[in-house]
Amino acid sequence: MQKTQLHKNFNTGDYKIGASGIKQLLWYFTSRLFFRSGLVPISSILVLLLRLFGSKIGREVRIKPGIHIKYPWRLQIGNYSWLAECYIENLDFVIIGENCCVSQQAVLMTGNHNFKKTTFDLVIKPIILEDGAWIGSSAKVGPGVTVKSHAVLTIGSVATKDLPAYGIYQGNPANFVKDRVVS
């Protein structure tokens, strides 16, 4: 049986951050000072800063202080969506539709490692939250997952595969619980 050898041949493939070193450095300090510290509680200022760093953000989007966004240039948010104090590790694109909610301590994780290889290769895939999707508090969405229109991932649940539209999903891994009826 072979052993993982992280110190030797760690492989990130052809992964590129997608920004210059200066832009990354500026984002690091901007994120620490304005987003993670909670120093600026005004959503419109946080949205403006994200746009300056390349995020595509619709109208009347609410961004709460305390949020972690790895790379704003890989983030797209539709109109009227809300992002609380969540964690967005967007090594690949995160696309959030209109009228979506990402709740407190939720995690959107676009990257992982291939545990089947001794080289522990980096694997990244985008995350898509379609219109009306809701990610509950402390829920986690893994790489390559699409949360379809108006689906709900309940508190503390983990989505490792696509969640069909208008369903409520719970557990680890998340399983269908019942239909979501929106009135």
Side-chain angles (χ1 to χ4, degrees), residues 115-140:
F115 55 83
K116 294 179 183 177
K117 293 194 169 209
T118 60
T119 53
F120 217 49
D121 298 352
L122 178 64
V123 177
I124 61 168
K125 295 179 183 175
I127 290 174
I128 299 170
L129 307 181
E130 292 183 355
D131 293 349
W134 180 4
I135 308 303
S137 295
S138 299
K140 294 172 177 49

Side-chain angles (χ1 to χ4, degrees), residues 9-11 18 40 42 51-52 77 87 102 112-113 115 119 128 142 153 155 163 171:
N9 299 316
F10 184 75
N11 185 358
V40 177
I42 302 165
R51 285 180 177 145
L52 289 173
I77 307 169
Y87 190 94
V102 181
N112 204 348
H113 294 275
F115 55 83
T119 53
I128 299 170
L153 182 63
I155 187 169
L163 303 181

Side-chain angles (χ1 to χ4, degrees), residues 27-42 45-46 49 63-69 84-86:
W27 172 247
Y28 175 81
F29 287 109
T30 300
S31 175
R32 286 279 181 196
L33 182 62
F34 295 105
F35 289 81
R36 294 192 220 172
S37 72
L39 185 63
V40 177
I42 302 165
I45 293 173
L46 299 177
L49 288 169
I63 306 287
K64 298 295 182 182
I67 191 171
H68 167 91
I69 299 168
E85 302 85 12
C86 60

Side-chain angles (χ1 to χ4, degrees), residues 146-152 161-169 176:
T146 297
V147 179
K148 303 283 186 169
S149 177
H150 296 84
V152 175
K161 59 184 179 185
D162 292 354
L163 303 181
Y166 288 93
I168 298 174
Y169 301 89
F176 176 78

Side-chain angles (χ1 to χ4, degrees), residues 2 22 26 52 55 58 63-64 89 114 134 136 157 161 177 182:
Q2 292 189 345
I22 292 171
L26 286 172
L52 289 173
S55 293
I63 306 287
K64 298 295 182 182
E89 187 75 11
N114 187 342
W134 180 4
S157 297
K161 59 184 179 185
V177 175
V182 180

Side-chain angles (χ1 to χ4, degrees), residues 55-72:
S55 293
K56 294 178 181 156
I57 301 177
R59 293 182 313 278
E60 297 189 43
V61 169
R62 300 292 179 253
I63 306 287
K64 298 295 182 182
I67 191 171
H68 167 91
I69 299 168
K70 183 76 169 184
Y71 299 132

